[in-house]
């Protein structure tokens, strides 16, 4: 069960059908620019939570029965086996949100009280940013571009979920992608498309 703090108003989902409830939950997460969406199956209830700027906050609380219906809707939409409840599953849902493609990477894990669902939200509209739009100070920007200009070496990008690692790495790739280099990435999953960069799944 999540113990996240509420920073935004809780959703009211009790009277909604599964499709309408899922639509409202996903829209809420996207509007908050959340990196992840969670459904936790607890002993007597189901919790909906989102991760915003690295912090998990509860978005809604509902009955276990309604929670099962929501998880089954996610499973069916992502091409999973809705009859399988004893093994982990993963799937993908490409969703159109006001003309913008949002990539939902969905994972299901069986637990003591049911199934838990985790969704990584990849919003292609806000994901790709130029290097100079990451909020770096002038000294930080100059230091990073100096490292990227080096003919050899290794740059490690670390930090908690939702802190901008992928956004920073893709900004670096765009900076390097001048047409004078051959660039290959090894990714699992492949996240964004950059013209001229070859992307290979791990």
């Amino acid at each position: 069960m999540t113990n996240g703090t509420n920073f935004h108003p809780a959703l009211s989902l009790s009277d909604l059908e599964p499709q309408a409830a899922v639509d409202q939950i996903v829209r809420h997460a996207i509007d908050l620019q959340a990196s992840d969406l969670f459904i936790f199956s607890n002993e007597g209830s189901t919790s909906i939570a989102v991760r915003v700027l690295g912090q998990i906050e509860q978005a809604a609380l509902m009955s276990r029965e309604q929670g099962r219906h929501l998880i089954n809707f996610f499973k069916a939409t992502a091409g999973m086996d809705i009859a399988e409840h004893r093994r982990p599953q993963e799937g993908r849902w490409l969703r159109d949100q006001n003309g913008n493609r949002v990539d939902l990477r969905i994972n299901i894990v069986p637990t003591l009280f049911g199934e838990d669902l985790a969704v990584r939200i990849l919003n292609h509209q806000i994901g790709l940013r130029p290097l100079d739009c990451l909020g770096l100070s002038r000294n930080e920007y100059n230091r990073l571009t100096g490292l990227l200009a080096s003919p050899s070496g290794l740059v490690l990008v670390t930090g908690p979920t939702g802190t901008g690692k992928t956004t920073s790495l893709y900004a670096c790739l765009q900076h390097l992608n001048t047409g004078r280099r051959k660039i290959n990435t090894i990714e699992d999953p492949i996240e964004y498309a950059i013209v001229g960069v070859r992307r290979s799944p791990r």
Side-chain angles (χ1 to χ4, degrees), residues 2-197:
T2 178
N3 59 354
T5 304
N6 282 54
F7 298 102
H8 301 92
L11 296 173
S12 178
L13 307 169
S14 57
D15 297 327
L16 298 179
E17 293 295 319
Q19 182 173 353
V22 167
D23 183 71
Q24 187 166 331
I25 291 166
V26 173
R27 285 181 179 275
H28 177 73
I30 293 172
D31 289 344
L32 294 180
Q33 297 187 15
S35 61
D36 302 272
L37 166 67
F38 305 100
I39 300 180
F40 299 107
S41 297
N42 307 313
E43 184 174 9
S45 64
T46 300
S47 301
I48 311 295
V50 292
R51 191 197 308 271
V52 181
L53 297 177
Q55 299 293 317
I56 294 179
E57 60 175 270
Q58 186 167 294
L61 193 66
M62 61 183 59
S63 69
R64 289 186 62 186
E65 183 66 19
Q66 187 180 12
R68 281 196 292 267
H69 289 313
L70 295 191
I71 290 174
N72 281 337
F73 183 86
F74 271 106
K75 290 167 72 172
T77 306
M80 301 182 196
D81 182 359
I82 63 172
E84 176 60 70
H85 302 287
R86 302 179 65 181
R87 296 183 180 181
Q89 295 190 72
E90 61 181 32
R92 183 183 187 190
W93 176 10
L94 288 175
R95 175 187 170 93
D96 182 79
Q97 184 81 16
N98 300 324
N100 176 49
R101 191 182 75 169
V102 178
D103 196 347
L104 305 177
R105 308 292 174 88
I106 302 169
N107 288 273
I108 302 284
V109 177
T111 70
L112 177 62
F113 301 117
E115 293 177 300
D116 279 3
L117 177 144
V119 183
R120 170 56 59 89
I121 301 171
L122 303 173
N123 191 336
H124 292 260
Q125 185 177 39
I126 64 173
L128 287 174
R129 300 179 184 179
L131 198 60
D132 56 1
C133 291
L134 295 183
L136 301 174
S137 69
R138 177 51 54 183
N139 287 338
E140 291 169 339
Y141 178 84
N142 289 339
R143 185 178 181 187
L144 178 56
T145 53
L147 291 172
L148 295 176
S150 175
S152 63
L154 176 69
V155 177
L156 295 177
V157 180
T158 66
T161 298
T163 54
K165 301 183 297 297
T166 299
T167 300
S168 299
L169 287 169
Y170 271 86
C172 291
L173 281 176
Q174 289 191 97
H175 178 80
L176 292 170
N177 190 30
T178 61
R180 303 177 65 184
R181 300 178 176 88
K182 183 178 184 299
I183 301 175
N184 284 73
T185 69
I186 301 175
E187 306 176 52
D188 185 13
I190 293 174
E191 308 234 7
Y192 299 105
I194 301 177
V195 175
V197 175

